[in-house]
Every structure is written in C-alpha cells, then in structure tokens.
C-alpha cells in the first residue's frame, strides 16, 4: 500500500506535537503534504511557530507549514493556555524555529492541494478547531468530493465535555465550522474524548518515552509531564490524555480503534450546550449516519506503536 497522503491542520498544543511527530516518524504509512496552522489552543502566531518547532525537532524542515485563520468563523477566539501553557508547547526547552512559514494562506493551500491531486487521494487530519477546513469548503465547495476522508479529533458523547460541561474544546471554539464539516458529506472519522481519554500517559508510559534517550523522546516526555498537571487535577486521572495522536495512530493501525458509523450533529444555538456533539450512538433517530465515531482503544497497542515510532526520529 502506498502511504496515505495527508494535510495536518493543527493548533499545537503538546498533544498535536506528538501527533505530528508520529506522522513524520511513519513514512511507510503517511506522507505529510503540509501542516496548516489554525488558532486554537493559543493564538495563530504561536500555533504557526509551534508547528515549525515540531518539524525542526523531527529534522523535517522540508515540510510546508502555512498559517491559516486567526479566529473562528463567527465568534471570538477561546484559547487554552490553562492546559497547554503560555506558548502552547510549554514543558521542554526547544529552540526558536528558523524554517520559514510558506507565503500562501493555509486555506488556499488546502484548496489548491485538493484540486491538484487526484480525487480521493488526500486525507485531511484536523487536530484543532475546524475553521481552516470549513473556510476551504465554503470557498471551494468542489473540493469536498475530492477529499479521501477526514480523520479529526473533536467532540464527545459519553464523556460529554472538557472546556464546558457539554462541549469538547476543538468543537466549542468554532461550532459553526464543525457544523459545516459534519454536514459536508466527506467521509468522516471522529476521535472524541470517549476514545482519547483512554490514551492516558501513565508514569511507565512517560518513562518509556524518556528512555528512548533521543531529543524527541525527551521532548515528548517533558511535554506530557507538563500537560498532565491539568488532567490530573481535573479528572484525577493517571496522566495526560494524548488526544490528537489518536488521529495519526488511526492512519497507521486502524485496528487499535473501534467505533460506530452514526449520525453526529453539533449544537450551534444554545448557550448552555454550545458546541456539544450529539452522536446517535444507539440509533434512536432516523438521521442519516455521517461519521464513524470512535469509542474503544487498545491503549497498550497505541502506546507500543507510539514509543516504537518516536524512537525512529
Ligand atoms: C483537544 O483540545 C486541545 O486542547 C487538544 O490539543 C486537543 O486537540 C482536546 O479537547
Ligand atoms: Ca489540538
């Protein structure tokens, strides 16, 4: 099988960083065509910087990195420095990137790449708010049918919410964008909190990253050390959930995940439940299924894959 050709749309974020590193460590399965930054965990100048920090950490200055939308479609940006720190990538001390940002806008890169490549050959991998993807779909509706699939981190059903009692961060930040993507008709695979909260970096898993003994292994251990404060305090969990690496791990080993093809819609009106994803897990409506919504994870297999691949960088 040739590698899946992907665009990673991201707001790094320590877990975004690990997702990107996993993709870059897996050239047999994944070819990264570009990384598009979006405002989310921190404002756009920082996410565009952090994406380049991560490429340089992986020794991949050749990956095109582009800055995209600096605010959600119809509302003010909500950020998550309380989770990710002031830079969005707090934890390890990493050098300022020297590789340039590409001149083009991320949305134009998404549109042009999908138009240039053969239909059904490019997969979109959003790891942050869906603003860039929705803007591309609005600007160029012809590209929707050309997308091979969208594998995204966002939403929740049984786990409900993390940024509000009802909503997961990526969807909450730009619910209108999420609505456009969920209704687009593109083949969707969704990694909600239901599955990502099972990808917990326990102490032995963190030590396994550190024991790789490389700059990448140490940086990932230090990122997850930093990131775990929040979830330990909030959920009393054993460590940090690696939300976004579920997306890239799925491209490599889909059998680690299980879910259902169901209808998923997003709340865009009620202030109380704004950004809530409503998944018809039990099939109690006649709404047409539009997404494979994951729920189960082989966590030991996931961490074995991650540790083995990160050691290659
Ligand atoms: C998502 O929000 C961000 O804080 C993480 O990077 C992840 O993409 C989890 O809700
Ligand atoms: Ca993210």
């Amino acid at each position: 099988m040739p590698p899946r050709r992907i665009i990673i749309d991201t707001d790094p974020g320590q877990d975004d960083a690990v997702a990107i590193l996993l993709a870059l460590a897996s050239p047999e399965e994944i070819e990264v065509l570009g990384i598009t930054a979006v405002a989310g965990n921190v404002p756009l100048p920082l996410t565009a910087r952090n994406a380049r920090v991560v490429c340089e950490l992986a020794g991949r200055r050749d990956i095109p990195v582009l800055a995209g939308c600096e605010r959600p479609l119809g509302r003010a940006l909500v950020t998550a420095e309380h989770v990710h720190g002031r830079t969005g990538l707090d934890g390890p001390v990493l050098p300022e990137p020297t590789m340039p940002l590409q001149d083009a806008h991320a949305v134009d890169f998404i549109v042009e790449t999908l138009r240039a490549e053969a239909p059904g050959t490019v997969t979109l991998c959003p790891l942050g708010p869906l603003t860039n993807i929705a803007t591309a779909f609005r600007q160029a509706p012809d590209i929707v049918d050309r997308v091979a699939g969208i594998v995204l981190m966002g939403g929740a059903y049984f786990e409900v919410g993390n940024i509000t009692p009802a909503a997961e961060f990526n969807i909450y930040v730009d619910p209108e964008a999420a609505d456009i993507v969920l209704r687009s008709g593109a083949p969707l695979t969704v990694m909600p909190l239901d599955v990502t909260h099972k990808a917990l970096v326990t102490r032995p898993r963190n030590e396994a990253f550190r024991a790789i003994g490389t700059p990448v292994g140490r940086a990932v251990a230090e990122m997850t050390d930093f990131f775990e404060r929040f979830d330990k305090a909030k959920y009393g969990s054993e460590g940090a959930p690696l939300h976004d690496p579920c997306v890239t791990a799925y491209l490599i080993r889909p059998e680690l995940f299980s879910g259902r093809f169901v209808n998923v819609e997003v709340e865009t009106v009620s202030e109380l439940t704004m950004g809530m994803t409503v998944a018809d897990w039990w099939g109690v409506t006649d709404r047409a299924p539009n997404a494979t919504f994951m729920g189960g994870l082989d966590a030991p297999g996931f961490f074995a894959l991650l540790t083995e691949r990160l050691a290659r960088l």
Side-chain angles (χ1 to χ4, degrees), residues 11 13 15-16 41 80 83-84 127-128 153 162 168-170 193 227 243-244:
D11 63 337
D15 61 321
D16 303 68
N41 287 323
V83 182
H84 300 275
L127 310 176
M153 190 280 136
N162 57 1
E168 180 281 328
F169 179 78
N170 289 342
L193 296 180
F227 186 43
H243 304 284
D244 295 337

Side-chain angles (χ1 to χ4, degrees), residues 12-32:
Q14 292 88 349
D15 61 321
D16 303 68
V18 180
I20 295 167
L21 292 169
L22 176 59
L24 295 178
S26 306
E28 280 163 24
E29 295 91 356
I30 299 176
E31 180 185 349
V32 180

Side-chain angles (χ1 to χ4, degrees), residues 23 29 32 35 38 48 56 84 87 96 107 128 131 144-145 165 169 184 208-209 217 225 240 260 277 295 305:
E29 295 91 356
V32 180
I35 298 180
V38 68
E56 292 194 3
H84 300 275
T87 67
E96 276 304 308
V107 169
T131 320
V144 175
D145 286 345
F169 179 78
S184 68
F209 293 147
D225 268 342
R260 291 185 187 182
T277 46
L305 172 73

Side-chain angles (χ1 to χ4, degrees), residues 140-153:
D142 58 290
I143 65 172
V144 175
D145 286 345
R146 303 179 72 90
V147 173
I150 302 177
V151 185
L152 69 90
M153 190 280 136

Side-chain angles (χ1 to χ4, degrees), residues 99-256:
M99 65 184 275
L101 267 180
Q102 302 290 304
D103 279 340
H105 192 281
V107 169
D108 294 331
F109 175 81
I110 293 167
V111 171
E112 282 159 24
T113 304
L114 282 162
R115 284 181 177 161
E117 301 296 334
T121 62
V122 176
T123 299
L124 301 177
C125 297
L127 310 176
L130 288 156
T131 320
N132 285 344
I133 308 295
T135 305
F137 284 2
R138 280 218 296 215
Q139 198 171 297
D142 58 290
I143 65 172
V144 175
D145 286 345
R146 303 179 72 90
V147 173
I150 302 177
V151 185
L152 69 90
M153 190 280 136
Y157 187 59
F158 297 100
E159 288 284 299
V160 205
N162 57 1
I163 186 76
T164 73
E168 180 281 328
F169 179 78
N170 289 342
I171 305 296
Y172 177 77
V173 172
D174 200 342
E176 285 77 18
D179 190 44
I180 289 170
V181 172
L182 287 170
R183 291 180 191 280
S184 68
L188 286 170
T189 304
V190 177
M191 298 290 168
L193 296 180
D194 305 280
V195 66
T196 70
H197 278 172
K198 293 174 180 147
L200 281 187
V201 187
T202 58
R203 194 47 35 201
R205 289 169 179 164
N206 181 282
E207 289 310 324
F209 293 147
R210 203 180 307 278
I212 294 171
T214 59
V216 168
R218 278 191 293 278
V220 168
E222 287 168 15
M223 283 184 212
T224 51
D225 268 342
F226 180 87
F227 186 43
E228 72 171 17
R229 307 156 303 134
F230 175 76
D231 285 85
K232 275 187 161 170
K234 179 168 173 186
Y235 295 106
S237 60
E238 275 186 273
L242 283 181
H243 304 284
D244 295 337
C246 289
V247 168
T248 43
Y250 175 78
L251 300 179
I252 304 167
R253 296 273 310 275
E255 68 279 8
L256 295 173

